[in-house]
Amino acid sequence: MTRIDDTFARLKAEGKKAFVAYVMAGDPDYETSLAVVKALPGAGVDIIELGMPFTDPMADGPTIQLAGQRALEGGQTLDLTLQIARELRKDDQTTPIVMMGYYNPIYSRGVDTFLAQALEAGIDGLIVVDLPPEEDDELCIPAQKAGLNFIRLATPTTDDKRLPKVLQNTSGFVYYVSITGITGAAEADAAQVAPEVARIKAQTDLPVIVGFGIKTPGAAESIAAIADGCVVGSAIVSEIAAGKSVDDVAAFVKGLADGAHRA
C-alpha cells in the first residue's frame, strides 16, 4: 500500500471524493512555490501533483507553459523540485506527492538515480505524459519495482482497443483527461465525461480522477460526482501567475477542494 492507496481507502471510508491540486514547482520562485505546496494540505488537498518544469511541454496550454518558463528562469532545477518534496515531508508524512512532467529530465538524470532520489525525497507517484505503454520498460516497470505508483492518462481518444494497454501497468489511479487538446483550454462537461469514466471503471478497480477544464468549485463538484475525484491545475496556476499571496491562493484552492468534497 502506498500513500496514494491509503488516501483513496480513507476517502472511500469517509464517503468523500478526492481533490488533487497541480502546481508547477518553482513558480514563480522556489520560496513562494514551497510556501504554496506547504499550504495545500491545510486547504483540503488530498493529493499534490508537483509539476517538473521543462522547456518543451507539449501537452500543456499557455498557463502551465508560462509557469514552467517562470520556474526555469527563476533557477528551478530537478534537484530543487525534489527538495520541495523533502521540505513538505518534514511536516507531512501522509499527503501523497505525484511528480508530473516529461521524460527528458528523468532520462538526463538516469532512471535508477532519479528513482532513488524520488523515493528518498518522499515522492509517491509519477505521471510522465510522453511515455506511452509501449515504453513501459523505460521507466514504468522500474518505478513500480521501486515502490512508486505510475499513473497513466486516458483521454477521449483512448478507444476500447487501446484502453487495456493503457491500464495494464497503471497503479495509484487513472487520470482521465476530460477534453481533447491542451490543459486550460475548454471546460469539462460532466454529462460527456460520465460515460467515459464508467467505461474505464468497467475495466479497472483503480480510482478514476478527472482533470483538464475544471476551474470553479461548482465544476469540481459536478466532475467529482461522476468520478472518484478531480484535478485542478491551470486555474490554480493562474492565481499564482496573477501574483496572489500564498494565503489567497490557499483560499482559492480551499473553495475548489470544498466543491469536490461536497460531491
Side-chain angles (χ1 to χ4, degrees):
M1 291 282 283
T2 64
R3 285 189 188 95
I4 295 172
D5 299 328
D6 289 343
T7 294
F8 281 111
R10 173 182 59 78
L11 289 167
K12 187 174 183 179
E14 294 172 0
K16 288 168 69 175
K17 302 299 181 74
F19 181 69
V20 184
Y22 170 98
V23 293
M24 179 66 73
D27 175 36
D29 55 65
Y30 174 82
E31 293 299 336
T32 305
S33 176
L34 175 59
V36 169
V37 168
K38 284 186 169 183
L40 293 177
V45 172
D46 299 301
I47 298 172
I48 297 169
E49 280 184 13
L50 193 57
M52 296 183 282
F54 179 52
T55 50
D56 190 23
M58 57 192 174
D60 295 320
T63 300
I64 290 177
Q65 278 195 36
L66 289 169
Q69 287 179 20
R70 287 192 298 270
L72 291 169
E73 287 166 4
Q76 187 69 13
T77 63
L78 183 55
D79 286 333
L80 287 175
T81 300
L82 291 166
Q83 188 59 31
I84 288 174
R86 284 189 199 96
E87 292 295 330
L88 179 69
R89 285 285 170 251
K90 289 179 180 177
D91 305 311
D92 184 328
Q93 288 293 321
T94 56
T95 305
I97 306 171
V98 175
M99 288 182 75
M100 183 172 186
Y102 299 85
Y103 185 45
N104 189 284
I106 298 170
Y107 177 79
S108 298
R109 175 64 49 100
V111 167
D112 291 344
T113 300
F114 169 78
L115 291 175
Q117 292 174 340
L119 282 167
E120 178 271 326
I123 300 297
D124 302 287
L126 301 174
I127 301 174
V128 183
V129 297
D130 56 346
L131 271 184
E134 286 74 16
E135 307 296 336
D136 274 358
D137 289 341
E138 196 78 24
L139 178 64
C140 174
I141 303 300
Q144 306 264 36
K145 286 180 178 175
L148 291 167
N149 288 127
F150 199 88
I151 296 144
R152 192 91 67 193
L153 276 66
T155 75
T157 59
T158 307
D159 60 20
D160 288 337
K161 183 179 178 182
R162 180 67 174 168
L163 186 58
K165 187 80 172 173
V166 169
L167 295 174
Q168 71 179 4
N169 288 318
T170 300
S171 65
F173 59 91
V174 179
Y175 187 136
Y176 180 69
V177 176
S178 65
I179 57 174
T180 52
I182 53 174
T183 57
E187 302 232 355
D189 182 342
Q192 292 181 349
V193 171
E196 293 299 302
V197 170
R199 184 169 67 93
I200 296 167
K201 289 181 78 67
Q203 295 201 37
T204 181
D205 293 330
L206 291 170
V208 179
I209 302 297
V210 177
F212 285 46
I214 302 164
K215 303 172 183 176
T216 65
E221 182 175 1
S222 64
I223 293 294
I226 51 92
D228 295 297
C230 67
V231 185
V232 178
S234 293
I236 298 169
V237 172
S238 293
E239 294 291 298
I240 296 168
K244 301 287 182 70
S245 69
V246 173
D247 287 345
D248 286 345
V249 172
F252 177 76
V253 172
K254 186 177 186 304
L256 295 163
D258 287 348
H261 291 149
R262 280 195 299 270

